[in-house]
């Protein structure tokens, strides 16, 4: 399976994917920003990189058409959004229906959009986390493949909570790609992703613990 990863910045999730020893071929890492730190990391890890700068295109549709051309040039079977901070046109999303996944820093459907850690703290939730999901035209709403939950602690700041979540992002994104590569993820007509699992279900995570 040929995988293309799209980033906009740091690229720590991309790095987690590239270093996970997955049974896939990383064909390229593409960024909409030339200064994205993750590009150098990808090159160090021997993965080809490309920049498709959104500022060079007059409209979202024009940008997305070029981006799709570049992605398809790498023969991508799976597109992984890893901190790719752009709203994608419906045409682009539909072109990669069932072949494009995203990692989002919340337990969806809670806290779609931005500033998820600050909003989780403000809401007073006791569990927060991250989600890998298929991308559909509705923002942060596609079929969920895997989620990880972490406790929200009394003295958490968005940064401390975000760091705890990020650690789990780096675990679940490679897991999701592995399962897809192994053919264990099935998209059903009811809009859900079913994962064939061999492992026993995880125990409950209760927060605060007592
Ligand atoms: C990650 O926390 C990812 O979940 C988030 O951006 C960060 C990128 O970090 N994505 C979104 O908020 C998408 N809506 P990274 O570049 O180090 O992987």
């Amino acid at each position: 399976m040929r995988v293309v990863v799209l980033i906009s910045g740091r690229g720590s999730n991309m790095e987690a994917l590239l270093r996970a020893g997955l049974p896939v071929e990383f064909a390229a890492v593409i960024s909409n920003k030339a200064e994205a730190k993750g590009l150098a990391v990808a090159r160090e890890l021997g993965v080809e990189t490309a920049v498709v700068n959104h500022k060079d295109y007059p409209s979202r549709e024009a940008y997305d058409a070029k981006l799709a051309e570049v992605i398809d040039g790498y023969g991508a079977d799976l597109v992984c959004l890893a901190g790719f901070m752009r709203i994608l046109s419906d045409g682009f999303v539909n072109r990669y229906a069932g072949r494009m996944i995203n990692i989002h820093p919340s337990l969806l459907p809670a806290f779609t959009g931005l500033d998820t850690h600050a909003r989780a703290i403000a809401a007073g939730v006791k569990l927060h986390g991250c989600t890998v999901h298929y991308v559909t035209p509705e923002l942060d709403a596609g079929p969920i493949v895997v989620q990880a939950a972490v406790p929200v602690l009394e003295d958490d700041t968005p940064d401390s909570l975000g760091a705890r979540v990020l650690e789990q992002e780096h675990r679940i994104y490679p897991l999701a790609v592995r399962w897809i590569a192994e053919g264990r993820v099935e998209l059903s007509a009811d809009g859900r992703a079913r994962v064939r699992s061999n492992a026993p279900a995880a125990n409950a995570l209760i927060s605060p613990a007592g």
Side-chain angles (χ1 to χ4, degrees), residues 7-15 38 81-86 102-106 112-117 130-131 133 139-140 162 165-166 169-170 173:
I7 65 169
S8 294
R10 179 178 57 182
S12 72
N13 276 290
M14 170 216 78
E15 183 172 358
L81 307 182
F84 188 63
M85 303 308 269
R86 282 191 57 82
N102 179 45
I103 183 137
H104 181 78
S106 78
T112 60
L114 300 174
D115 299 323
T116 56
H117 310 312
C130 47
T131 302
H133 64 96
L139 184 73
D140 299 329
V165 171
L166 190 65
E169 294 186 37
H170 296 165
Y173 212 177

Side-chain angles (χ1 to χ4, degrees), residues 57-138:
Y57 297 85
S59 66
R60 188 174 301 285
E61 284 66 29
Y63 178 75
D64 285 1
K66 179 62 188 180
L67 185 60
E69 189 186 309
V70 174
I71 292 171
D72 292 350
Y74 287 108
D77 302 302
L78 181 71
V79 178
C80 293
L81 307 182
F84 188 63
M85 303 308 269
R86 282 191 57 82
I87 302 278
L88 299 166
S89 63
D90 286 3
F92 183 90
V93 171
N94 290 330
R95 180 189 189 102
Y96 297 103
R99 301 192 283 143
M100 180 159 65
I101 58 176
N102 179 45
I103 183 137
H104 181 78
S106 78
L107 290 172
L108 291 173
F111 310 119
T112 60
L114 300 174
D115 299 323
T116 56
H117 310 312
R119 286 160 57 213
I121 291 170
V125 297
K126 304 303 186 198
L127 290 169
H128 181 49
C130 47
T131 302
V132 178
H133 64 96
Y134 280 91
V135 179
T136 55
E138 194 186 339

Side-chain angles (χ1 to χ4, degrees), residues 32-35 52-59 63 86:
N32 61 316
K33 294 184 177 179
E35 67 274 20
V52 186
N53 188 338
H54 56 275
K55 293 190 180 140
D56 295 341
Y57 297 85
S59 66
Y63 178 75
R86 282 191 57 82

